Amino acid sequence: LSTGQIEKQPTAAYAEKWLGGRGLNARILYKELEPGIDALSPENVLIFSVGPLTGSMFPGSGRTEVAAKSPVTGIQGMSNMGGYWGPELKYAGYDSIVIKGRASKPVYISINNDTVQIKDAANIWGLDTYQTQDALQAELEDPEVEVVCIGPGSENGIAYGSIQTRMGNAAGRTGMGSVMGSKNLKAIAVRGTKGVSVANPE
């Protein structure tokens, strides 16, 4: 977010040793973070990851795992949520989003299959999480866009802020919303139409 640079990398190298969203997040945090950083500084890394079954019909597989250094505990923070955002990310072709740095002004990330953009969020900064989701679906002209977002508490640095999606799904543990707010990141809106292929359904 500090530079506006967007980079895509394959996740195949992680697949066998760090299976699933939590494993990916733990490995990436260990690799990317320097010891002793402030959890609310630009040096922290915020990660959203899904598992290998996400987007399939497997029961209970639609979870999203969120990780960063926690402003609440001062150590590895993990939280997860249900809903449709995780499958939508997978349908767009991604296993993880790794967010670094801090934007100079409020922004949101828009993902539509292969197109990834960092967009101005001035008009949605300050809105609650329900209003934010409605506003982004209207702005992007697609009612099927799935959104994760923060509210005013996380924008203003409350230590235990959550990340919300839909009406009642939340990554509510360890202050992941506060980390998102410290990066001036209001939301991530995702639309994917690629689907998921299962190699061996049986």
Side-chain angles (χ1 to χ4, degrees), residues 108-109 124 131-142 145 147-149 186-189:
Y108 74 94
I109 296 171
I124 57 173
Q131 294 166 330
T132 298
Q133 294 176 73
D134 290 343
L136 287 181
Q137 287 177 339
E139 181 174 321
L140 297 170
E141 300 180 336
D142 190 343
V145 166
V147 178
V148 291
C149 59
K186 177 65 174 177
I188 307 174

Side-chain angles (χ1 to χ4, degrees), residues 87-180:
E88 200 72 23
L89 183 69
K90 196 75 170 182
Y91 299 152
Y94 304 99
D95 297 305
S96 300
I97 303 173
V98 182
I99 300 156
K100 300 179 179 181
R102 181 180 190 271
S104 59
K105 60 182 182 180
V107 298
Y108 74 94
I109 296 171
S110 171
I111 299 172
N112 189 320
N113 293 323
D114 295 333
T115 302
V116 181
Q117 299 172 293
I118 301 172
K119 296 188 171 188
D120 182 33
N123 62 322
I124 57 173
W125 196 256
L127 297 183
D128 69 31
T129 56
Y130 305 127
Q131 294 166 330
T132 298
Q133 294 176 73
D134 290 343
L136 287 181
Q137 287 177 339
E139 181 174 321
L140 297 170
E141 300 180 336
D142 190 343
E144 295 191 51
V145 166
E146 294 293 336
V147 178
V148 291
C149 59
I150 58 171
S154 294
E155 292 173 8
N156 290 299
I158 191 170
Y160 45 85
S162 65
I163 299 171
Q164 304 286 140
T165 185
R166 291 267 176 150
M167 295 297 287
N169 297 292
R173 297 181 61 251
T174 66
M176 296 296 96
S178 305
V179 175
M180 193 164 165

Side-chain angles (χ1 to χ4, degrees), residues 17-124:
K17 289 186 177 180
W18 298 286
L19 180 68
R22 184 167 292 184
L24 287 171
N25 285 359
R27 173 56 182 160
I28 294 167
L29 279 182
Y30 183 80
K31 179 181 177 183
E32 295 288 344
L33 290 187
E34 293 293 331
I37 65 158
D38 185 335
L40 298 180
S41 73
E43 287 72 33
N44 202 359
V45 176
L46 179 65
I47 312 167
F48 295 77
S49 291
V50 297
L53 294 174
T54 301
S56 73
M57 295 299 290
F58 194 85
S61 64
R63 309 293 295 182
T64 301
E65 188 75 20
V66 187
K69 182 174 182 178
S70 168
V72 178
T73 66
I75 56 175
Q76 176 176 298
M78 292 283 189
S79 190
N80 73 75
M81 61 183 145
Y84 295 93
W85 187 88
E88 200 72 23
L89 183 69
K90 196 75 170 182
Y91 299 152
Y94 304 99
D95 297 305
S96 300
I97 303 173
V98 182
I99 300 156
K100 300 179 179 181
R102 181 180 190 271
S104 59
K105 60 182 182 180
V107 298
Y108 74 94
I109 296 171
S110 171
I111 299 172
N112 189 320
N113 293 323
D114 295 333
T115 302
V116 181
Q117 299 172 293
I118 301 172
K119 296 188 171 188
D120 182 33
N123 62 322
I124 57 173

